[in-house]
Amino acid sequence: MRHRNVAVIGGTPPTPQQLYIDLALNYGKRLGELNSLLKTHGLSEPQYNVLRILRGAEPQGLSCLGIAERMLSRLPDITRLLDRLEKPGWIERRRSAEDRRKVEVSLLPDGRDLLARLDQPVLRLHTRQFANLDPEELTELHRLLSKSYSNSTT
C-alpha cells in the first residue's frame, strides 16, 4: 500500500501539483472503499450513482442526457451502463410519448429497495472516512472544495 503524508502543517505551502495529487490520492482511497462496499451488492460506483440520480428525480424519471449531465464522472457509454441496471430489474427505460427519439429512465421498486438497503452502510462508510475531522474542519473542507470547484474550467 502506498502511504503518503498529505498534511503539511507550518512550513512551505503546498504547490498546486501537490494539492492535486493529495486530492487524487484521497479520492482514489475513498472510491476504493465505496467500490468494495457496492461490490457486495452487485453494483459499481457509476451504477450506484445512476440509481441515486433516478431516486432524486422521482417520480418522473430522467432522459439519458439528464442522467449523463448529473453523473459524478463522465462516462462514454451511458447506454451500456443502463443495460446493466435494467437487466436485474432496477430501472426501466421507455420511449417518450412526446418525442419517440427520447428515452426516459425511471427507478423500479427493486432499485429503490436496493438503495434503501445501501443508505445506512454508505452513510457509515462516509462517516468513518471523515471521522478524523471535527465539525469545523468538515465545514472548512466543504467550503474550500466548493470554492475550488467553482473555479473549474469545465
Side-chain angles (χ1 to χ4, degrees):
M1 180 174 128
R2 206 166 60 184
H3 174 70
R4 186 175 179 304
N5 183 1
V6 297
V8 176
I9 306 199
T12 307
T15 66
Q17 292 85 0
Q18 288 169 322
L19 289 172
Y20 180 84
I21 289 168
D22 291 346
L23 284 170
L25 288 171
N26 268 280
Y27 173 73
K29 180 176 173 129
R30 272 111 177 87
L31 182 61
E33 293 167 348
L34 179 61
N35 276 326
S36 292
L37 171 63
L38 295 175
K39 188 176 181 181
T40 65
H41 294 271
L43 284 174
S44 67
E45 186 274 332
Q47 291 171 324
Y48 175 67
N49 192 16
V50 168
L51 293 177
R52 289 183 57 202
I53 289 167
L54 290 172
R55 178 169 62 182
E58 285 188 322
Q60 66 272 15
L62 284 171
S63 68
C64 292
L65 179 61
I67 294 169
E69 289 172 343
R70 289 166 176 81
M71 292 293 291
L72 293 174
S73 56
R74 301 293 172 229
L75 296 175
D77 193 356
I78 191 85
T79 302
R80 269 194 226 139
L81 180 62
L82 295 176
D83 288 344
R84 291 191 298 269
L85 292 170
E86 191 173 36
K87 187 174 182 179
W90 295 328
I91 66 162
E92 155 181 79
R93 287 183 278 193
R94 64 194 173 287
R95 294 273 172 204
S96 168
E98 298 84 38
D99 183 350
R100 299 279 303 149
R101 296 170 295 176
K102 184 177 172 185
V103 175
E104 296 172 343
V105 185
S106 57
L107 194 60
L108 289 174
D110 284 352
R112 204 172 299 108
D113 292 346
L114 176 60
L115 283 175
R117 288 193 310 273
L118 280 165
D119 284 341
Q120 285 305 308
V122 170
L123 177 60
R124 283 191 300 271
L125 171 66
H126 292 324
T127 300
R128 189 174 68 247
Q129 289 174 324
F130 294 99
N132 63 329
L133 300 177
D134 64 40
E136 293 80 22
E137 290 171 321
L138 288 170
T139 300
E140 181 67 0
L141 178 59
H142 183 263
R143 185 188 72 76
L144 291 170
L145 290 171
S146 296
K147 183 177 181 180
S148 176
Y149 184 80
S150 70
N151 190 42
S152 177
T153 57
T154 57

